Amino acid sequence: MSGDVSSAPWDEAEREAVYRVITERRDMREGFLPDPVDDAVLTRVLEAAHRAPSVGLTQPWDFLIVRDEAKRRRIRDLAERQRAVYAASLPPARAAGLDRLKVEAIREAPVNIVVTCDPTRGGRNPLGRHVQPRTAHYSVACAVENLWLAARAEGLGAGWVSFFDERELAAELGLPAHIEIIAYLCVGRVAAFPPAPLLALTGWARRRPLAWAVHDEEYGRRALPGEDIVNPIEQTVAAIRPLDEAAMRDARDHQARLTKPPGSLGVLEELSVRLCGLAGRCPPPLPEPASVAVFAADHGVHAQGVTPWPQEVTAQMVANFLAGGAVVNAFAAQVGAEVSVVDVGVAADLDPAPGLLPRKIAPGTADMTRGPAMTMDEARRAVETGIEVARDLVSSGARCLVTGDMGIANTTASAALVAAFTGLPPEQVTGRGTGIDDATHAHKIEIVRAALDRHGLPGRADPLEVLAAVGGLEHAAIAGFVLGGAALRVPVVLDGVIAGSAALAAAALCPDALGACVAGHRSAEPGHTAAIAALGLRPLVDLELRLGEGTGALLALPLVQGAVRVLHEVATFDSAGVSGKDAGRRNDAITE
């Protein structure tokens, strides 16, 4: 057919230009120059946007150009008001990061472009919209991307401002009621394009590697084209490295030059040294913002009467976490941490809610006294889920991970895991959980013993087999969470006995993962004391807590952050001009 476009690949220079504009596209929020944008250039950019693919060729987009300064000032005020509302909802560390993301580009950029969607365009039966009604919105997103890339090719910066109440903005713009706003873009010449996305440069988020996002044939089978299927657990374990000895030497030397008596911060000094070894530099990044992941699951061993609490409490407490009414929420608010709840195995179906990560592997485990609590595949998938949650939280900006848990009867599974990994007898590691009486406690010990005997534990060398035999879905996920944090060299603050027993599994899978672990507190559960002793960890807090949820770890979080802040902010003898007894001015010159 005459006029056909050639199907031959473009030459190398042309391909390079396409990939370059994709790679160098930036979301510009500052640095706009007042120079006007040439009308011909702007038309070319809009033409590129208008050539975007649309389902059914409905072309549901329109472009509203806003140059008027008074109007842009009013729009900026709308955005700033909503930005302030959002900032007030954030923990302090996140709010501080948001302060660096201003909305002044609305006024500073010479052109604003509002990209809208008309979901009624195309009439009653446009191709493709019957089954997926939101294809109009997806099509407009393609137009936004085309506009953005064309702007970069023309040397124009573009910034997407999303701090708007859509109908409030629509009223300011005089849009018809059926028109929806997809994007508000600030466009203009800029002084320079940053070397990386601004959100990455400010620490708000990190870019996920491509290998995390490509699945082969079915979701969860990760592999880049032409490469072998990735085993996420093996890949994560391979990425974990021992603590950096050079960084720890630097940290000890720096501690010796700080204006304080030697060893005066006790355990916190060695903690700061370990965190330098984890990060591979001194001082290490401040461990903030922090994210708590409360892994929730139910347990088949509940049927053996090991707790007086009904299994339904697991789902009810998850709802409480999501509503912000639990102790973990109160403590997280106190220390400025974010809380996410991960459903890896709650027996009930949970409604979608902000903060809920639906990752259900199974509706609870089986009764470990009658057979394996999990299949090997379930145990593996739960560990992988924990790894993925750690990756996602770190990618979204977390610089410290905190373990949390919820699951009625999970202290029974924890006791079995601690006994299996340490070799201690059930009576030494089985506690009273939520406060059971003597008779129930004695019964619980015998249930743990029966489960261990049934599965020949201790004695199995494969940590996944141990998890599958007597663990919970949340234990396996927390083990993966620890591995994921260690691979990304981010500290993981452990909570009580559930986290401690899961950390035993993580350490069995990869001993070097312990380099990322901080024992937040010592639980009143005897199994926790046994676990942290086996792990060689020193708890930071000992308040006889036995709640779980992540509460003890959150109470310790300021101590972890303070240990690092000392390295960042405390003066050395040289910088403070404090005299010492030797030329090196070390802090052994100070006495009380």
Side-chain angles (χ1 to χ4, degrees):
M1 182 185 296
S2 62
D4 283 358
V5 177
S6 172
S7 62
W10 291 1
D11 65 39
E12 184 175 352
E14 291 172 323
R15 290 198 308 273
E16 175 60 29
V18 171
Y19 291 125
R20 178 186 171 191
V21 76
I22 293 171
T23 302
E24 295 185 8
R25 181 198 62 76
R26 296 287 181 267
D27 184 7
M28 300 299 298
R29 297 174 180 271
E30 56 189 28
F32 283 96
L33 302 174
D35 309 358
V37 177
D38 181 78
D39 286 343
V41 172
L42 186 57
T43 300
R44 287 199 296 270
V45 169
L46 293 170
E47 176 65 26
H50 191 55
R51 289 185 177 276
S54 60
V55 175
L57 202 60
T58 52
Q59 305 158 82
W61 49 72
D62 285 286
F63 310 101
L64 175 58
I65 297 172
V66 181
R67 289 194 177 97
D68 181 76
E69 290 187 11
K71 180 179 289 187
R72 285 188 286 135
R73 187 163 49 250
R74 293 194 302 271
I75 292 170
R76 181 265 179 200
D77 291 344
L78 295 179
E80 178 56 32
R81 185 162 64 248
Q82 294 298 331
R83 194 193 73 87
V85 170
Y86 177 53
S89 72
L90 296 173
R94 279 293 200 184
L98 186 66
D99 280 345
R100 297 192 292 269
L101 305 175
K102 303 297 185 181
V103 295
E104 297 305 320
I106 295 172
R107 291 169 52 246
E108 294 172 354
V111 178
N112 293 182
I113 302 175
V114 187
V115 187
T116 66
C117 175
D118 180 353
T120 69
R121 189 164 294 155
R124 184 179 181 86
N125 295 305
L127 182 67
R129 201 164 68 199
H130 176 71
V131 177
Q132 294 194 46
R134 294 192 60 82
T135 51
H137 304 82
Y138 308 151
S139 298
V140 176
C142 294
V144 173
E145 184 69 8
N146 272 18
L147 190 156
W148 214 332
L149 294 173
R152 179 65 187 89
E154 296 282 359
L156 298 175
W160 189 330
V161 180
S162 55
F163 293 114
F164 288 112
D165 177 289
E166 183 183 357
R167 297 329 299 174
E168 189 177 54
L169 177 58
E172 171 61 40
L173 297 171
L175 299 179
H178 70 285
I179 297 297
E180 301 178 34
I181 298 171
I182 300 299
Y184 192 101
L185 303 174
C186 307
V187 179
R189 302 286 175 193
V190 294
F193 288 96
L198 182 61
L199 293 180
L201 293 175
T202 60
W204 186 270
R206 298 181 184 180
R207 187 179 296 280
R208 298 173 70 235
L210 176 63
W212 295 4
V214 180
H215 307 255
D216 184 75
E217 297 293 353
E218 62 184 67
Y219 194 86
R221 283 169 46 94
R222 288 182 169 84
L224 292 175
E227 297 189 5
D228 293 337
I229 300 297
V230 170
N231 181 316
I233 299 175
E234 291 180 357
Q235 182 188 61
T236 302
V237 167
I240 297 172
R241 296 287 181 267
L243 296 179
D244 188 300
E245 294 292 342
M248 291 196 290
R249 284 194 299 271
D250 290 344
R252 292 190 178 98
D253 182 65
H254 188 71
Q255 283 280 1
R257 291 184 287 111
L258 296 178
T259 52
K260 62 177 181 62
S264 57
L265 291 179
V267 174
L268 297 186
E269 292 192 15
E270 187 56 29
L271 174 59
S272 73
V273 170
R274 287 183 58 233
L275 294 180
C276 288
L278 177 65
R281 62 185 175 92
C282 178
L286 287 170
E288 56 184 48
S291 288
V292 189
V294 181
F295 292 90
D298 279 304
H299 294 261
V301 74
H302 179 276
Q304 296 299 322
V306 292
T307 173
W309 292 89
Q311 194 170 70
E312 292 79 5
V313 171
T314 301
Q316 292 165 358
M317 282 303 300
V318 166
N320 194 26
F321 299 148
L322 296 171
V327 178
V328 66
N329 302 107
F331 285 2
Q334 175 70 23
V335 299
E338 297 173 322
V339 178
S340 298
V341 182
V342 189
D343 173 13
V344 285
V346 178
D349 293 329
L350 304 178
D351 294 331
L356 176 64
L357 307 182
R359 306 289 188 271
K360 197 189 301 285
I361 306 298
T365 57
D367 184 349
M368 64 182 178
T369 65
R370 297 180 177 277
M374 295 176 275
T375 67
M376 284 292 289
D377 181 63
E378 288 170 342
R380 175 187 57 78
R381 288 166 56 205
V383 173
E384 291 174 357
T385 295
I387 290 171
E388 185 173 3
V389 170
R391 287 174 171 180
D392 287 348
L393 291 178
V394 172
S395 294
S396 66
R399 295 298 172 265
C400 184
L401 301 176
V402 180
T403 70
D405 64 87
M406 181 62 219
I408 296 300
N410 63 6
T411 58
T412 303
S414 297
L417 286 172
V418 174
F421 282 115
T422 65
L424 293 172
E427 58 269 22
Q428 289 189 27
V429 298
T430 306
R432 295 180 181 269
T434 52
I436 55 179
D437 59 24
D438 290 346
T440 306
H441 183 221
H443 174 65
K444 182 177 177 180
I445 291 171
E446 292 310 310
I447 290 298
V448 171
R449 193 187 318 277
L452 294 171
D453 289 345
R454 180 178 185 90
H455 299 290
L457 296 172
R460 296 194 183 190
D462 185 341
L464 277 179
E465 287 187 359
V466 177
L467 280 169
V470 297
L473 290 155
E474 76 271 47
H475 294 93
I478 292 172
F481 192 65
V482 170
L483 295 174
L488 295 169
R489 308 195 78 81
V490 171
V492 182
V493 185
L494 303 176
D495 195 43
V497 66
I498 286 80
S501 59
L504 287 170
L509 287 163
C510 179
D512 285 331
L514 282 177
C517 293
V518 179
H521 78 120
R522 183 193 306 277
S523 166
E525 284 285 303
H528 190 229
T529 294
I532 57 178
L535 294 168
L537 298 176
R538 172 78 176 266
L540 298 180
V541 176
D542 189 348
L543 298 174
E544 300 180 6
L545 305 177
R546 53 181 176 83
L547 176 59
E549 302 179 4
T551 51
L554 284 169
L555 289 175
L557 180 61
L559 299 177
V560 179
Q561 294 170 334
V564 174
R565 195 169 291 278
V566 164
L567 298 178
H568 281 265
E569 299 179 8
V570 174
T572 63
F573 279 89
D574 291 337
S575 66
V578 177
S579 297
K581 69 182 182 183
D582 57 35
R585 293 187 177 177
R586 297 170 64 88
N587 58 15
D588 55 8
I590 297 180
T591 57
E592 295 291 357

